Amino acid sequence: MHTKNMVTAGKKISEASKVMIMIHGRGASAEDILSLANYLPVKDFALIAPQASGGTWYPYSFMAPPAQNEPYLSSALSVIKEITADVIAQGILPENIYFLGFSQGACLTLEFVTRNAQRYGGAVAFTGGLIGDKIYQENYTGDFGGTPVFIGTSNPDPHVPVDRVLASEKILQQMHAAITVKVYPNMGHTVSQDEIEQATKLIFKSQI
């Protein structure tokens, strides 16, 4: 089970006007995902990266039936919900909270924000989609109110099928996210420079 074990960087929440919650991939670490902040215009942000117990948020593929990934999936979502609530309790409005994840962390990012849709600052999913053997639309409630969301992915990707990315895009569109999906031919399972540039422009509203 996961605990609220976090690594922080950037500004203190008490001194920041914006916060980004960064979610690492399978077999990676909070420090790994925090390193991506070096390439993004977030120097004025407080950065929070939770650490998964054992380095993985849930044991099986994100395309497995959700029950197979329990209780770890629910535990992971609870950790993110608790961190988000803590940030709001410290005076940061939801529209100033951003989310970013890679791979398993991107899937968890999308799953969390779509289960708890409201106007956030933005969300970045580097290679990810909504979780489950199919899309469980009944899990997703709320209205993004124009929250900018970027999903980048490779075609093909060894873990994330493009059709799941596109199905996820459709759900977020229906919930009024301002979503942009970019599919990169044969990019591989990585984060590309172009994805960084897209996130910079679309989510953080900065020019390259």
Side-chain angles (χ1 to χ4, degrees), residues 114-148:
T114 312
R115 287 189 183 214
N116 301 276
Q118 57 182 307
R119 182 55 164 93
Y120 296 113
V124 179
F126 292 130
T127 311
L130 294 172
I131 294 173
D133 52 319
K134 62 178 185 176
I135 297 286
Y136 290 87
Q137 191 155 357
E138 64 272 18
N139 288 338
Y140 306 123
T141 57
D143 189 308
F144 280 108
T147 298

Side-chain angles (χ1 to χ4, degrees), residues 31-199:
E31 289 85 358
D32 290 335
I33 196 72
L34 279 172
S35 69
L36 274 178
N38 295 327
Y39 304 96
L40 294 165
V42 293
K43 65 180 184 299
D44 294 329
F45 284 54
L47 307 173
I48 302 172
Q51 175 63 51
S53 299
T56 187
W57 293 108
Y58 44 84
Y60 299 108
S61 165
F62 87 109
M63 298 284 288
Q68 291 185 12
N69 277 317
E70 293 296 358
Y72 301 96
L73 175 58
S74 290
S75 176
L77 290 166
S78 293
V79 165
I80 301 168
K81 191 162 193 171
E82 189 175 346
I83 292 169
T84 304
D86 288 349
V87 169
I88 292 169
Q90 293 180 71
I92 303 294
L93 297 173
E95 56 262 38
N96 290 321
I97 300 175
Y98 295 71
F99 299 85
L100 179 148
F102 169 66
S103 191
Q104 190 185 60
C107 297
L108 198 58
T109 293
L110 290 171
E111 189 71 14
F112 174 78
V113 297
T114 312
R115 287 189 183 214
N116 301 276
Q118 57 182 307
R119 182 55 164 93
Y120 296 113
V124 179
F126 292 130
T127 311
L130 294 172
I131 294 173
D133 52 319
K134 62 178 185 176
I135 297 286
Y136 290 87
Q137 191 155 357
E138 64 272 18
N139 288 338
Y140 306 123
T141 57
D143 189 308
F144 280 108
T147 298
V149 179
F150 173 70
I151 307 175
T153 197
S154 177
N155 185 22
D157 181 87
H159 305 290
V160 180
V162 170
D163 61 356
R164 174 54 60 89
V165 174
L166 298 178
S168 303
E169 176 188 25
K170 185 176 179 181
I171 295 292
L172 272 75
Q173 280 177 336
Q174 291 170 355
M175 297 171 69
H176 306 127
I179 185 165
T180 302
V181 170
K182 191 163 182 180
V183 179
Y184 299 83
N186 301 304
M187 177 177 71
H189 197 69
T190 187
V191 177
S192 70
Q193 179 61 34
D194 189 76
E195 286 180 293
I196 294 290
E197 292 173 3
Q198 293 294 321

